[in-house]
Amino acid sequence: MMRTHYCGQVTEALTGQTVTVSGWVHRRRDHGGVIFIDLRDREGLLQCVFDPDAVEAFAAADKLRSEYVVKITGRVRPRPAGTENANLSSGKIEVLGKEVELLNKAETPPFHPDDETVGEDTRLKYRYIDLRRPQMQKNLKMRHDVVKQIRTYMDTNGFIDVETPILTRATPEGARDYLVPSRTHAGQFFALPQSPQLFKQLLMMSGLDRYYQIARCFRDEDLRADRQPEFTQLDVETSFMTQDEIMKMIEGLVVGLWKDTLGVDLGTLPHMSFEEAMRRFGSDKPDLRNPLELVDVKDLVTDVDFKVFSGPANDPKSRVTALRVPGGADKLSRGQIDGYTNFVKNYGAKGLAYIVVKEWSTKGRDGLTSPIVKNIHDAALTSIFERTGAVDGDVVFFGADTYKVVSDALGALRLKIGNDLGLTAGGWRALWVVDWPMFEWDDKEGGRWVSPHHPFTAPKVQSADELRNNPGTVLSQGYDIVLNGVEIGGGSVRIHRPEVQQAVFDLLGIGADEQQEKFGFLLEALSYGAPPHGGLALGLDRMIMLMVGGQSIREVIAFPKTQTAACPLTNAPGMVDARQLRELHIKSTVPAKDAAKSSTPA
């Protein structure tokens, strides 16, 4: 028998009993002729004690080293008074070892599982050691528990788990596809799915009514803390449900997960329009824990001498916005303010105007510190302070540029100041962002309409003609769920009428030939009686990251990629031999020496 109990399951309830445990030597300590072995497995640590009286067991324990794999049999007894460890479930007892079997030796590991200072590159290269860390084990267990709860919830609500293809064809969903060459169809390629979007819609047209899947998705895009080239989402699609009904069902799942897993009640999630989110927070995923808000002052500065303000103020496509920081005059140094100026430049802003409101109430403009106030008349200053609520001791920052630049820059500044001043610490705040624009205008490449979600999102109008006539004002039936400033999911009611879908394709610049080539099967399926349907995808990795308090989804994925989409553990991606390429009718244009260099992850 390899074990009778896991280490973390051996408690005072087993006092006096003989147990067998197996695991890794976490630590070995020799205290005056008595050897202590802290044994570790996935359930925790267990202290095992070896006295010289048990000659063979003592001699075997004396040879054990860190990360050796062993089996220990012994009697459970209370720890001596004063040596208990309240941090362990097994902290009131220890095992008096009688037998030791060495199952495998271990080389000295590159780092100890207790070492939290190891760099991520090293942790990922030796991921099998990194995963021995209690925190990583805890993260993966929580992921398992959450998935189990999801499956129970979906089953209870009548959903059917259906797998969809991994090898499919490329479709425009907003990110670059991973392509897979076909050996049997020379010169043609499969694409790995960015999401199961089209297939889950086809399942609705097939009468499945309620579908879900814990789906693997692939996107070849620039990475960041909450992105990976391959990731996992809860994919959901329903028929004959309204937008509100879909959102209510998903909200029930999310609220239940947080309550059952963390004991946190998210309450009823408020709904906020996309327009309001951008206006107040400069972001379509606002962190509501942060009390700072943007206030538009465009109409107050149309006639000031400060052209940086008056120019955008008289441009219908631009925005002039203020961000008030209560008490900022004392909390923010001049160096910090200068640093914020450089910070907003990362988001396209040319600079950052500000006013330090020191003694406005008693000294007027003489009580202000700012390089811009001399070019702003008293009436404008008075109106700005009244609208923003600024009083003595505050700092007011300003953004004036295109709508996007101002929103991006001051939205990011709001978050940074909130973090710097500790305004965003603790708690949970979730919301739905709704009423998204159906289209947004992209000035690149001569200008064109683009979709904020994807081209299968239904508009809030029923007529294809109305959609074609008013693309810039029509709202969509899209919705995102946001938690603490992180988008954890998004979805929409889908288009179920072929003429509306074709109108959307036309407005997005997807021509008739491309429509037939890439979406002919979808348009055909829509013509055979498609029901009203809609759905959503929740980012499983992001949700678990938030639950465990992580800073990156790499902390909750067993074998993630680096920021350069490489795997230090397996050295993937790697080169393949010429024979394999010939079978795929592919020839690499990258010189072998350059390919070899790039195939070695940093």
Side-chain angles (χ1 to χ4, degrees):
M1 178 182 295
M2 296 297 289
R3 64 155 61 101
T4 60
H5 298 81
Y6 284 99
C7 291
Q9 294 174 343
V10 181
T11 65
E12 56 189 327
L14 298 174
T15 299
Q17 297 186 31
T18 297
V19 298
T20 298
V21 290
S22 295
W24 286 261
V25 176
H26 192 66
R27 284 191 182 85
R28 174 190 173 279
R29 293 167 283 140
D30 191 336
H31 289 182
V34 178
I35 295 174
F36 292 85
I37 299 294
D38 291 336
L39 195 67
R40 185 190 71 243
D41 62 20
R42 77 175 199 185
E43 297 299 326
L45 290 173
L46 177 64
Q47 178 172 286
C48 301
V49 186
F50 295 88
D51 291 331
D53 294 343
V55 178
E56 291 186 9
F58 184 85
D62 189 46
K63 297 177 182 178
L64 298 181
R65 296 295 181 267
S66 178
E67 299 308 300
Y68 277 24
V69 185
V70 297
K71 180 177 78 171
I72 296 174
T73 298
R75 179 173 56 84
V76 181
R77 70 181 188 184
R79 290 196 189 192
T83 66
E84 298 91 343
N85 186 342
N87 296 321
L88 299 177
S89 59
S90 61
K92 293 184 177 181
I93 54 86
E94 60 189 15
V95 170
L96 180 61
K98 297 300 182 183
E99 298 177 16
V100 177
E101 181 181 349
L102 177 62
L103 300 175
N104 209 351
K105 292 183 178 181
E107 299 290 336
T108 301
F111 57 91
H112 192 273
D114 262 358
D115 190 350
E116 298 289 341
T117 65
V118 180
E120 189 178 50
D121 286 348
T122 301
R123 289 175 49 202
L124 293 181
K125 180 174 177 60
Y126 300 97
R127 189 63 161 181
Y128 44 87
I129 294 175
D130 186 48
L131 289 177
R132 296 177 189 176
R133 291 193 301 130
Q135 184 60 52
M136 293 303 299
Q137 300 253 323
K138 179 182 177 181
N139 291 355
L140 294 183
K141 284 183 198 175
M142 180 173 285
R143 186 182 182 113
H144 161 76
D145 290 341
V146 167
V147 170
K148 184 169 63 174
Q149 291 179 59
I150 287 173
R151 291 193 181 280
T152 298
Y153 184 90
M154 302 308 288
D155 183 64
T156 301
N157 283 279
F159 285 81
I160 299 173
D161 182 1
V162 182
E163 293 181 346
T164 53
I166 293 297
L167 294 177
T168 180
R169 69 168 299 143
T171 58
E173 291 190 42
R176 191 180 294 109
D177 289 307
Y178 275 102
L179 300 178
V180 180
S182 171
R183 180 184 59 81
T184 54
H185 299 276
Q188 299 186 44
F189 295 82
F190 293 104
L192 303 183
Q194 295 184 33
S195 76
Q197 181 61 51
L198 294 179
F199 287 105
K200 66 181 182 180
Q201 289 189 243
L202 292 172
L203 288 172
M204 295 304 100
M205 300 169 203
S206 305
L208 265 291
D209 196 77
R210 294 191 180 191
Y211 140 94
Y212 87 98
Q213 182 183 186
I214 307 295
R216 297 291 285 172
C217 305
F218 307 85
R219 296 183 182 182
D220 184 8
E221 57 187 350
D222 294 334
L223 304 185
R224 58 190 186 198
D226 59 355
R227 283 181 178 172
Q228 279 279 292
E230 50 181 319
F231 57 95
T232 306
Q233 66 185 35
L234 167 63
D235 204 49
V236 178
E237 198 75 6
T238 69
S239 295
F240 305 109
M241 291 183 72
T242 65
Q243 174 177 328
D244 287 342
E245 289 171 330
I246 296 170
M247 293 167 63
K248 182 178 180 180
M249 178 170 290
I250 296 300
E251 182 174 323
L253 170 63
V254 172
V255 171
L257 287 174
W258 254 255
K259 187 172 184 179
D260 294 342
T261 304
L262 301 179
V264 171
D265 186 1
L266 296 176
T268 300
L269 274 56
H271 294 195
M272 181 180 295
S273 71
F274 171 85
E275 184 278 331
E276 181 182 355
M278 296 302 297
R279 173 170 47 82
R280 293 174 58 191
F281 307 108
S283 172
D284 56 23
K285 45 183 183 294
D287 189 342
L288 298 186
R289 297 173 300 166
N290 185 337
L292 303 181
E293 292 194 21
L294 310 187
V295 178
D296 286 329
V297 295
K298 182 176 183 177
D299 59 310
L300 305 180
V301 294
T302 56
D303 62 347
V304 299
D305 292 335
F306 190 46
K307 300 302 181 185
V308 172
F309 282 6
S310 59
N314 288 282
D315 181 351
K317 294 183 179 180
S318 294
R319 184 177 189 186
V320 183
T321 296
L323 175 66
R324 172 198 170 212
V325 181
D330 294 325
K331 297 175 182 176
L332 299 176
S333 67
R334 177 59 188 270
Q336 282 179 294
I337 293 174
D338 290 342
Y340 293 149
T341 300
N342 292 326
F343 174 78
V344 297
K345 289 180 180 178
N346 296 325
Y347 298 88
K350 300 179 181 68
L352 181 65
Y354 67 90
I355 299 175
V356 179
V357 186
K358 290 186 175 180
E359 298 176 83
W360 167 256
S361 62
T362 57
K363 295 184 178 180
R365 65 172 51 246
D366 291 335
L368 305 177
T369 299
S370 169
I372 68 171
V373 292
K374 62 181 180 292
N375 295 315
I376 302 177
H377 53 72
D378 285 350
L381 288 172
T382 299
S383 298
I384 288 171
F385 295 152
E386 287 179 351
R387 183 172 295 181
T388 61
V391 296
D392 292 352
D394 294 349
V395 172
V396 182
F397 293 100
F398 297 89
D401 209 308
T402 65
Y403 192 92
K404 176 175 173 49
V405 167
V406 171
S407 299
D408 290 349
L410 285 204
L413 180 64
R414 169 183 174 268
L415 295 178
K416 181 166 179 56
I417 294 176
N419 289 328
D420 289 349
L421 299 184
L423 304 176
T424 318
W428 299 94
R429 294 288 301 277
L431 75 154
W432 288 100
V433 178
V434 298
D435 292 340
W436 289 69
M438 186 68 188
F439 300 104
E440 292 177 342
W441 186 255
D442 185 354
D443 287 323
K444 296 178 182 177
E445 300 178 4
R448 64 187 184 95
W449 291 112
V450 295
S451 174
H453 278 91
H454 54 62
F456 317 111
T457 300
K460 283 196 167 184
V461 297
Q462 301 300 314
S463 163
D465 288 339
E466 188 175 355
L467 180 63
R468 292 179 192 275
N469 293 333
N470 302 286
T473 59
V474 172
L475 299 178
S476 77
Q477 297 186 62
Y479 36 85
D480 281 3
I481 184 169
V482 177
L483 180 60
N484 287 5
V486 177
E487 177 202 331
I488 62 172
S492 69
V493 173
R494 321 301 186 190
I495 297 168
H496 69 282
R497 293 187 175 126
E499 68 276 9
V500 176
Q501 184 64 77
Q502 194 160 17
V504 170
F505 286 156
D506 291 342
L507 287 165
L508 293 174
I510 302 174
D513 291 342
E514 186 178 1
Q515 289 179 34
Q516 284 304 312
E517 179 191 354
K518 294 183 176 179
F519 305 107
F521 65 94
L522 175 66
L523 294 171
E524 185 176 38
L526 289 173
S527 71
Y528 285 114
H533 60 285
L536 176 140
L538 289 174
L540 183 64
D541 310 300
R542 291 184 183 182
M543 289 199 300
I544 306 300
M545 176 189 73
L546 291 173
M547 286 179 168
V548 304
Q551 300 300 311
S552 165
I553 62 173
R554 293 189 295 276
E555 297 176 39
V556 298
I557 297 173
F559 299 102
K561 304 294 188 294
T562 66
Q563 288 279 46
T564 59
C567 176
L569 174 65
T570 62
N571 280 346
M575 299 176 63
V576 298
D577 61 43
R579 178 184 58 81
Q580 287 179 285
L581 291 179
R582 284 196 300 270
E583 288 179 342
L584 295 169
H585 312 284
I586 289 177
K587 182 177 181 180
S588 175
T589 60
V590 179
K593 59 182 179 65
D594 294 335
K597 289 179 183 178
S598 65
S599 67
T600 303

